[in-house]
């Protein structure tokens, strides 16, 4: 890879690694239930909001990204993600009577940024003017970073909960807001390129008239819903349903649910 684009690869890997910060919510559900009296229905709403917002973000931002380029969105997405985490942590202070409303608002911002970042990272790497063989290896490495990030976030969050206690969960969430801010700084500096050539994108109206579009959309929605259900609910199920210790539920349920 050309030296000048190596920083771009590592910025994308860094962003994908800490995109796994969303895994911390699955670990916090049971502690939040005890602290604020939330129901499992409330958590189902949060999980659904997370998934639906990410899918909608993928669709809604595709045209603006194509029109205005990668950089403004690559810088904005991690900042919005950090803002969502901050709002989630501040929900009990901002909404003392109904913290669930603040949790939903924070989750919405975090999920919208996550969907946008999913839309950006692979195309940013694919647009770099480097040999295809190196690009394929770099793409594989990029996507592996999310899995490693999930293991890191789960183990770190579980360890911090064990040391600090559930009452200090807000400090853990605020701690995870720092890496996205660093990611935004990186994307202000690294070189980016636009993809040249290839078939022109199909307009959304024309795409909506194709039956295969709805089949693929259904596969994405159902497959994504299954993944989110396992990743977000496994820890709570193992802890409350099977009566396993929280450490075991977090590690086995969230680390290895994808």
């Amino acid at each position: 890879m050309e030296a000048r684009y190596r920083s771009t690869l590592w910025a994308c890997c860094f962003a994908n690694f800490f995109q796994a910060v969303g895994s911390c919510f699955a670990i916090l559900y049971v502690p939040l239930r005890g602290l604020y009296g939330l129901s499992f229905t409330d958590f189902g709403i949060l999980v659904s909001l997370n998934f639906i917002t990410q899918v909608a973000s993928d669709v809604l931002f595709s045209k603006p990204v194509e029109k205005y380029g990668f950089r403004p969105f690559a810088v904005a997405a991690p900042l919005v993600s950090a803002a969502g985490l901050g709002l989630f942590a501040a929900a009990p202070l901002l909404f003392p009577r109904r913290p669930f409303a603040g949790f939903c608002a924070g989750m919405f911002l975090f999920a919208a940024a996550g969907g946008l970042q999913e839309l950006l990272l692979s195309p940013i790497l694919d647009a770099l003017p480097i040999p295809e063989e190196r690009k394929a290896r770099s793409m594989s490495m990029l996507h592996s970073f999310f899995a490693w990030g999930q293991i890191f976030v789960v183990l770190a969050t579980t360890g911090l909960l064990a040391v600090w206690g559930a009452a200090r969960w807000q400090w853990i969430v605020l701690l995870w807001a720092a890496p996205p801010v660093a990611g935004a700084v990186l994307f202000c500096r690294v070189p980016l390129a636009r993809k040249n050539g290839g078939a022109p994108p199909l307009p959304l109206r024309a795409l909506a008239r194709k039956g295969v579009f709805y089949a693929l959309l259904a596969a994405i929605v159902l497959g994504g819903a299954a993944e989110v259900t396992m990743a977000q609910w496994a820890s709570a199920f193992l802890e409350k349903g099977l009566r396993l210790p929280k450490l075991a539920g977090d590690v086995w349920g969230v680390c290895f649910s994808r």
Side-chain angles (χ1 to χ4, degrees):
M1 178 176 291
E2 294 184 27
R4 68 185 299 256
Y5 291 116
R6 191 170 290 118
S7 60
T8 309
L9 168 63
W10 287 114
C12 291
C13 290
F14 179 89
N16 216 26
F17 187 89
F18 284 106
Q19 179 67 17
V21 164
S23 300
C24 77
F25 295 121
I27 298 172
L28 294 173
Y29 285 157
V30 172
L32 291 179
R33 183 171 182 258
L35 290 169
Y36 303 105
L38 302 181
S39 67
F40 283 112
T41 301
D42 292 332
F43 295 137
I45 293 172
L46 286 173
V47 171
S48 300
L49 178 65
N50 185 355
F51 176 66
I52 293 170
T53 304
Q54 285 198 43
V55 173
S57 180
D58 286 341
V59 175
L60 294 176
F61 282 107
S62 58
K63 285 295 182 182
V65 169
E66 181 185 331
K67 181 177 181 180
Y68 297 107
F70 294 129
R71 194 177 302 277
F73 298 96
V75 173
L79 293 178
V80 174
S81 177
L85 290 166
L87 182 56
F88 194 95
L93 299 176
L94 298 175
F95 306 90
R97 295 185 178 180
R98 185 60 171 158
F100 179 68
F103 293 147
C104 286
M107 182 67 78
F108 174 79
L109 289 178
F110 178 83
L116 176 56
Q117 198 153 282
E118 288 178 355
L119 181 69
L120 290 170
L121 295 180
S122 292
I124 285 175
L125 187 54
D126 187 54
L128 297 182
I130 59 177
E132 289 299 323
E133 181 181 347
R134 294 182 182 180
K135 188 179 295 184
R137 291 201 302 264
S138 299
M139 195 71 73
S140 297
M141 185 174 75
L142 170 67
H143 290 288
S144 74
F145 265 70
F146 182 84
W148 290 112
Q150 176 161 320
I151 294 173
F152 175 78
V153 169
V154 169
L155 294 178
T157 303
T158 301
L160 289 172
L161 275 177
V163 174
W164 291 353
R168 296 185 179 179
W169 68 270
Q170 290 157 302
W171 293 107
I172 299 173
V173 175
L174 290 175
L175 181 66
W176 290 128
V181 175
V185 174
L186 288 175
F187 277 110
C188 285
R189 302 169 62 89
V190 299
L192 302 178
R194 276 186 175 270
K195 183 78 171 176
N196 295 320
L202 193 64
L204 187 59
R205 187 173 299 177
L207 189 63
R209 290 197 292 265
K210 294 183 174 292
V212 68
F213 167 73
Y214 295 100
L216 294 174
L217 180 63
I220 292 171
V221 171
L222 294 175
E227 178 189 4
V228 168
T229 299
M230 291 182 65
Q232 297 292 315
W233 284 106
S235 176
F237 170 73
L238 291 174
E239 183 178 348
K240 291 299 183 181
L242 301 184
R243 305 295 181 184
L244 292 179
K246 180 162 182 57
L247 179 62
D250 291 343
V251 174
W252 294 106
V254 186
C255 266
F256 304 108
S257 62
R258 290 184 184 269

